[in-house]
Amino acid sequence: MIRTAVPADVPVIHAMVRELAEYEKALHEANATEEQLHEALFGERPAAYAHIAESDDGEAVGFALWFLNFSTWRGVHGIYLEDLYVRPERRGGGHGKALLAELARICVERGYERLEWSVLNWNAPSIAFYESLGARPQDEWTVYRLTDGALAELGGGR
């Protein structure tokens, strides 16, 4: 059901990224191209990794895209799950759980001590799913982001 993504998967990953962005009411922010995803996943210096969830007939029905982070407190890497998505008509079939289980397996195998991700506060179905697996919200932390003009200004570009 779960396999490591290969370069030929980039178009379907790109399509599902856009589906996820639409679900999250932010399609206008999803500007990544297939070429950018290919470079990030399979370029000379990969910055991210992906796994594909397949149906019994081999159709890609979901994906997990992740990268390594590092905990100075624990002294080891962890996995940050950037995107987890299963197509709506395929939800409830165990694909999402299988994707998370594969990432947890990688953590255990490699000695990583954290598997982390973010979820929108309004996404009650996903929150309930994550909590059913034993995940707990880190509600003492607030995510901050610099982007666009603020990022350029701070970085000296404008």
Side-chain angles (χ1 to χ4, degrees), residues 13-64:
I13 293 170
H14 183 259
M16 288 191 282
V17 165
R18 295 193 53 79
E19 291 169 24
L20 174 60
E22 185 171 27
Y23 172 76
E24 292 183 347
K25 302 172 178 76
L27 184 57
H28 62 284
E29 295 179 34
N31 299 318
T33 66
E34 287 184 24
E35 293 77 19
Q36 288 172 314
L37 288 175
H38 186 276
E39 182 64 25
L41 293 168
F42 305 106
E44 188 176 318
R45 294 185 341 198
Y49 307 91
H51 285 79
I52 300 292
E54 290 184 330
S55 64
D56 291 337
D57 61 1
E59 177 190 358
V61 298
F63 79 102

Side-chain angles (χ1 to χ4, degrees), residues 117-139:
W117 61 92
S118 296
V119 61
L120 291 165
N121 292 334
W122 58 259
N123 194 344
S126 292
I127 291 168
F129 168 64
Y130 298 144
E131 290 184 354
S132 77
L133 299 176
R136 295 294 169 249
Q138 300 299 298
D139 56 8

Side-chain angles (χ1 to χ4, degrees), residues 7 16 47 53 61 74 95 103 123 125 136 140 145 149 157:
M16 288 191 282
V61 298
R74 299 214 173 195
H95 296 95
L103 298 186
N123 194 344
R136 295 294 169 249
E140 295 177 351
R145 179 178 295 157

Side-chain angles (χ1 to χ4, degrees), residues 49-131:
Y49 307 91
H51 285 79
I52 300 292
E54 290 184 330
S55 64
D56 291 337
D57 61 1
E59 177 190 358
V61 298
F63 79 102
L65 194 144
W66 57 277
F67 55 88
L68 295 179
N69 59 16
F70 183 81
S71 170
T72 56
W73 290 11
R74 299 214 173 195
V76 296
H77 282 292
I79 286 178
Y80 186 85
L81 175 60
E82 179 67 19
D83 285 332
L84 175 71
Y85 180 73
V86 175
R87 288 188 157 145
E89 67 274 12
R90 298 300 188 130
R91 291 180 187 155
H95 296 95
K97 183 176 182 179
L99 285 163
L100 284 170
E102 176 62 10
L103 298 186
R105 185 196 65 74
I106 291 168
C107 285
V108 170
E109 177 182 274
R110 297 181 187 178
Y112 303 162
E113 295 188 11
R114 290 181 178 166
L115 172 55
E116 298 178 310
W117 61 92
S118 296
V119 61
L120 291 165
N121 292 334
W122 58 259
N123 194 344
S126 292
I127 291 168
F129 168 64
Y130 298 144
E131 290 184 354

